[in-house]
Each structure stands twice: as C-alpha cells, then as structure tokens.
Amino acid sequence: MASEQLEKIFKNNEEWIAQQLDKDPSYFKTLGEGQEPNILYIGCSDSRVTAEEVMGLHPGEVFVHRNIANMVISTDLSAQSVITFAVKHLKVKEIVVCGHTCCGGVKAAMQPQDLGLLNPWLRNIRDVYRLHKEELNAITDEDAKYNRLVELNVQEQCVNVIKTAEVQKASAERGLRVHGWVFDIKSGKLIDLKIDFDAILAKIMEIYTLKD
C-alpha cells in the first residue's frame, strides 16, 4: 500500500495536469512531439536544487543530468552518455555545470572519514582539492574554504566537460559554450562564476585536444 505522501503525489499530479490543460489544451500533445532543449544542465542530486524551477524554465526547455556534487567523471557512463546525447543528437547550444552552497558531497569530501561505497566518488572531489591545495589551505575560515571548493569543483567539472570529444567538436563547428554556475541556497540566487576558460585551457589543452 502506498504511503500517504506517495498518494498525495498522485493527487498533485492530477491537479497539475488540470492546471496545464487549463492554460494550454494542447500542452501534452506538444510535449509528445519531441524535445529541442538549448541547454544541458549538469547539477547536484540535492533535493533542494531543482533545475527547471531554479532557472524558471519549463519541461522541454532543458536537458538535465544530476548526481552527487555535479561531477563529470570520464569513467561515468551515465554522465558521458548524457553529454554525448545532448551534444550530438539534441544539438544543445549551452552546457551548464551548476554546483550549490551547502553541498553535502563537497562537505563529505573535506572530511577524513571512511564512507564506504561513496569513497571512490568523493575521491574525485578530493582530487580537485589536491589540484588547488595551495589556494584552499591559505583560506583559514572553514566556511569560506568550503564555498571556494564548491566553486573550484564546478570549474574542474567544466574542464572535464570540455575534454570530451563531442564537446570539442561541437565547440569548433557550431560554437557550443560551457558555463560554470553556483546556486546559493540561502539566497536563491544563481551565480555565474564567469570562469576564464581560455586562460585555464591554454595550459592543458595541448594534452587533451582530440583530432579526427
């Protein structure tokens, strides 16, 4: 038997259907005809950060992938498949990697605690810390250090996106762009980190650039 909360979800769904049809009788017919989103959003699975709602977008306007701490790992077939499908088949024009303040994944990665199956995943965030150890260790305030690691993690995941073959090809052929954002949970604001990818990539793309 479904719990009271689950039963409420189905009731909410019926109300939502009625609301959509009241505004647009062809709403679901249009959705059924396909999707043409311009944006791929890669974000965190945190229940407080819902992609469409945060951006004020509607179904069909953004293709979404979420995991713990908005990671883009080369061996993660789920993330890599999403990127390939979004870039090669949906032809998205923008890719956004969006982290957020109060991120439990980033916080856990800062602690020397054995978390079992989560260890391999969190190690990727610890690798971000290692890459930026000098800057982070110079920050004495723990909250400020935590928030900066959130930002740096977004930056490194953006770089990981850019390393992929499909993104490199689409960037060269049709101007696909990658962006790094942070959602501030305590204010509700989306913050564009305005990452200088040209400066960052100038030092590493001779290693990661792929050619036919």
Side-chain angles (χ1 to χ4, degrees), residues 31-198:
L31 280 185
E33 291 172 352
Q35 58 173 332
E36 294 182 342
N38 288 324
I39 302 169
L40 166 60
Y41 172 100
I42 300 173
C44 183
S45 298
D46 193 298
S47 61
R48 298 167 293 179
V49 188
T50 54
E52 292 88 349
E53 191 169 9
V54 164
M55 294 187 287
L57 298 179
H58 302 288
E61 293 184 314
V62 57
F63 196 60
V64 177
H65 178 74
R66 296 171 66 182
N67 60 42
I68 295 174
N70 41 272
M71 303 300 291
V72 179
I73 302 168
S74 63
T75 55
D76 178 8
L77 292 181
S78 178
Q80 295 300 322
S81 297
V82 166
I83 291 171
T84 298
F85 183 74
V87 173
K88 189 172 182 178
H89 300 283
L90 295 178
K91 306 292 185 184
V92 296
K93 299 176 181 177
E94 320 278 352
I95 298 179
V96 171
V97 177
C98 186
H100 66 93
T101 58
C102 307
C103 179
V106 172
K107 191 74 169 180
M110 293 178 68
Q111 311 302 320
Q113 184 177 357
D114 182 355
L115 295 173
L117 188 61
L118 287 173
N119 290 334
W121 191 265
L122 297 178
R123 190 178 303 126
N124 294 283
I125 307 173
R126 292 180 178 128
D127 286 341
V128 173
Y129 195 115
R130 173 176 54 81
L131 290 172
H132 300 276
K133 180 180 176 181
E134 185 175 346
E135 176 186 349
L136 290 166
N137 284 351
I139 302 173
T140 55
D141 181 83
E142 284 301 311
D143 287 338
K145 181 184 294 186
Y146 169 34
N147 289 332
R148 182 55 179 152
L149 181 55
V150 167
E151 294 176 349
L152 290 170
N153 184 53
V154 168
Q155 175 181 300
E156 293 301 328
Q157 303 321 309
C158 286
V159 171
N160 287 343
V161 169
I162 295 168
K163 290 176 185 175
T164 64
E166 291 298 339
V167 171
Q168 289 187 31
K169 185 177 180 181
S171 295
E173 292 180 352
R174 55 185 180 83
L176 173 68
R177 295 180 295 181
V178 177
H179 311 270
W181 298 352
V182 169
F183 174 65
D184 184 347
I185 283 182
K186 293 182 178 179
S187 71
K189 290 183 178 180
L190 273 176
I191 301 165
D192 185 348
L193 297 179
K194 300 185 185 301
I195 300 168
D196 186 352
F197 289 117
D198 289 338

